């Protein structure tokens, strides 16, 4: 299942219409349709706006956090300069 399909599932589970989510995300209904069908040409701002509108933005951020992985934590000290480490 693609992220767009997961967003569509979240929307439906919450009983939200495509119009409601697109308005909350500040995008057009067509852009939401493109996201939900996996169009990779949609901008990051629109994608993150939908995640926020669906209440899953924190999960998206956490899923991409390298410090949430064993490799990221193990390599941080040797690869990243001190100013960007946590």
């Amino acid at each position: 299942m693609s992220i767009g399909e997961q967003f569509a599932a979240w929307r439906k589970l919450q009983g939200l219409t495509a119009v409601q989510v697109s308005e909350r995300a500040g995008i057009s209904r067509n852009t939401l349709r493109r996201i939900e069908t996996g169009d990779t040409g949609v901008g990051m701002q629109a994608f993150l706006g939908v995640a926020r509108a669906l209440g899953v933005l924190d999960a998206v951020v956490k899923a991409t956090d390298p410090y949430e992985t064993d490799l990221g934590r193990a390599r941080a000290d040797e690869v990243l300069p001190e100013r960007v480490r946590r």
Side-chain angles (χ1 to χ4, degrees):
M1 183 179 277
S2 72
I3 293 174
E5 291 170 327
Q6 291 174 2
F7 279 1
W10 271 112
R11 177 176 60 77
K12 292 170 186 174
L13 287 170
Q14 294 178 49
L16 298 170
T17 67
V19 171
Q20 289 172 313
V21 172
S22 61
E23 286 176 354
R24 292 176 187 183
I27 60 175
S28 71
R29 169 62 188 97
N30 186 52
T31 300
L32 177 61
R33 182 193 56 74
R34 290 175 57 207
I35 290 170
E36 290 184 348
T37 59
D39 184 335
T40 58
V42 178
M44 185 64 81
Q45 183 174 356
F47 173 84
L48 295 175
V50 172
R52 181 185 41 76
L54 294 171
V56 297
L57 181 58
D58 289 342
V60 170
V61 171
K62 185 174 182 175
T64 59
D65 184 349
Y67 296 103
E68 290 293 324
T69 67
D70 292 337
L71 175 64
R73 288 187 295 273
R75 302 267 333 262
D77 287 338
E78 59 190 64
V79 176
L80 298 176
E82 189 172 333
R83 61 179 161 53
V84 296
R85 290 186 216 144
R86 287 188 178 182

